[in-house]
Amino acid sequence: MAVEAIRNLLNQSDKAIFDVKNKLKEEKDKGISKVKEQLPTQEEITSQVKSNVCSTETAGAIDKNFNNLKDKVNGIKGKLEGGIKKLQALKAKLDKITEWMEKISKLLVALKSIILICDIIVKVLPKALNFLTGLLANGFAIKKLSDLIDKAKSKVENFKASITSFTKAVLSITAAASIPGLLIDAAIAALQKIINFISSLMSILEQLYLGYLAQCNLPSDPPINSDGSLNLGLIIDGLEQNEKTEIIEKIYNANFETIGYRRYKA
């Protein structure tokens, strides 16, 4: 019974590893790791969200660019996070297989001890048979006992062969599971690195956008249209009514850090 259960687990594990490898190849073929090429550069973000001009037309364009860039970057981030979840699910399958192999290894060790005892018994039984031959001289009983001993020897040998075969299979499957496992770990780390890079891009994007709002004296919580975009017409009208003609421009260094301000009349 134990032998059959072990055999089934080994077969299931082998099939599961094959399935994981195929799905890992599918994820690789999707080119998820290449999405960084689709991300806007810092220069592109700066050119689309930063301007020295405070006008309705410019503010509308910057608002549109900001939302488009934000949606694009968040969309790519979502794909990457989805890819990581799929890879983590594949890794969980491999971890489960490794766990099975550890349990099987422990079971095989226990079975080896039992088989060793059985092997000793079947080797001692012939001597007992010779003793009974001299005492009882019952041909039928001796023949039956002899057959049982031979059958026991055969089963012991079969068990020993199965344990040897299973031990090799466990080592093979454990090694086979470790290779895609390492590839998955590397892929997850690579995708997470891109996600971290995206977070820095989003930070730059938001800082530049808020910088433009501050530069043109636009409120941080301006009127919002029904579609969620800025109602820049109302904002500019409000500025004109309040006669806000002075413009304060933030000055950034190469790392997009504020290092000063420039003030001038509109």
Side-chain angles (χ1 to χ4, degrees):
M1 201 71 174
V3 171
E4 190 62 29
I6 291 173
R7 185 178 288 109
N8 289 336
L9 275 176
L10 291 174
N11 290 335
Q12 290 175 28
S13 299
D14 197 40
K15 291 178 182 178
I17 291 174
F18 181 77
D19 181 57
V20 167
K21 287 181 178 179
N22 284 336
K23 289 184 178 178
L24 186 58
K25 185 177 183 300
E26 289 175 7
E27 292 301 311
K28 183 180 179 182
D29 291 341
K30 289 179 183 177
I32 293 179
S33 61
K34 297 180 181 179
V35 295
K36 188 174 181 180
E37 298 173 3
Q38 303 172 20
L39 290 169
T41 63
Q42 293 183 8
E43 290 75 17
E44 290 171 337
I45 289 177
T46 302
S47 66
Q48 295 186 55
V49 187
K50 185 178 180 182
S51 174
N52 293 327
V53 180
C54 292
S55 67
T56 303
E57 182 179 352
T58 301
I62 286 181
D63 179 53
K64 182 178 179 181
N65 291 343
F66 170 76
N67 287 312
N68 287 341
L69 287 169
K70 184 178 179 181
D71 290 343
K72 180 179 181 180
V73 171
N74 281 332
I76 294 173
K77 182 181 179 182
K79 290 181 180 179
L80 293 173
E81 289 174 339
I84 287 179
K85 286 182 179 179
K86 289 181 180 179
L87 291 173
Q88 288 174 335
L90 295 178
K91 184 64 188 305
K93 283 187 176 182
L94 294 176
D95 290 341
K96 191 66 177 179
I97 291 171
T98 301
E99 182 182 332
W100 287 350
M101 295 306 104
E102 290 175 353
K103 290 182 178 179
I104 291 175
S105 293
K106 292 179 180 178
L107 181 57
L108 290 175
V109 170
L111 288 175
K112 282 181 182 179
S113 299
I114 295 172
I115 294 302
L116 179 62
I117 294 172
C118 292
D119 194 29
I120 294 172
I121 291 174
V122 295
K123 287 179 180 178
V124 172
L125 282 177
K127 296 179 180 180
L129 179 60
N130 292 334
F131 177 75
L132 288 175
T133 300
L135 290 178
L136 301 176
N138 186 324
F140 177 77
I142 293 171
K143 176 66 169 62
K144 190 172 182 179
L145 184 55
S146 178
D147 290 342
L148 288 173
I149 292 172
D150 290 339
K151 189 176 181 179
K153 283 183 179 180
S154 177
K155 283 199 173 287
V156 168
E157 291 303 318
N158 288 337
F159 272 117
K160 288 167 68 176
S162 294
I163 290 174
T164 300
S165 176
F166 290 160
T167 301
K168 291 180 180 179
V170 166
L171 293 174
S172 177
I173 290 174
T174 301
S178 67
I179 297 173
L182 292 174
L183 292 176
I184 290 173
D185 287 340
I188 290 176
L191 295 181
Q192 188 59 57
K193 188 175 182 180
I194 299 176
I195 289 175
N196 294 339
F197 174 73
I198 286 176
S199 296
S200 67
L201 278 183
M202 285 297 297
S203 178
I204 291 171
L205 176 62
E206 291 172 353
Q207 286 177 18
L208 288 174
Y209 182 63
L210 291 174
Y212 179 76
L213 295 181
Q215 166 188 309
C216 293
N217 292 323
L218 301 179
S220 59
D221 54 347
I224 303 297
N225 293 321
S226 58
D227 62 356
S229 63
L230 292 173
N231 191 324
L232 292 164
L234 292 177
I235 295 172
I236 299 301
D237 289 344
L239 292 178
E240 292 174 349
Q241 291 173 10
N242 292 325
E243 297 182 350
K244 293 185 177 181
T245 56
E246 185 181 52
I247 293 175
I248 301 176
E249 178 186 5
K250 287 185 178 181
I251 303 173
Y252 300 88
N253 61 16
N255 295 320
F256 297 93
E257 297 171 337
T258 303
I259 59 175
Y261 299 86
R262 183 184 295 116
R263 303 177 65 174
Y264 54 91
K265 296 291 183 178

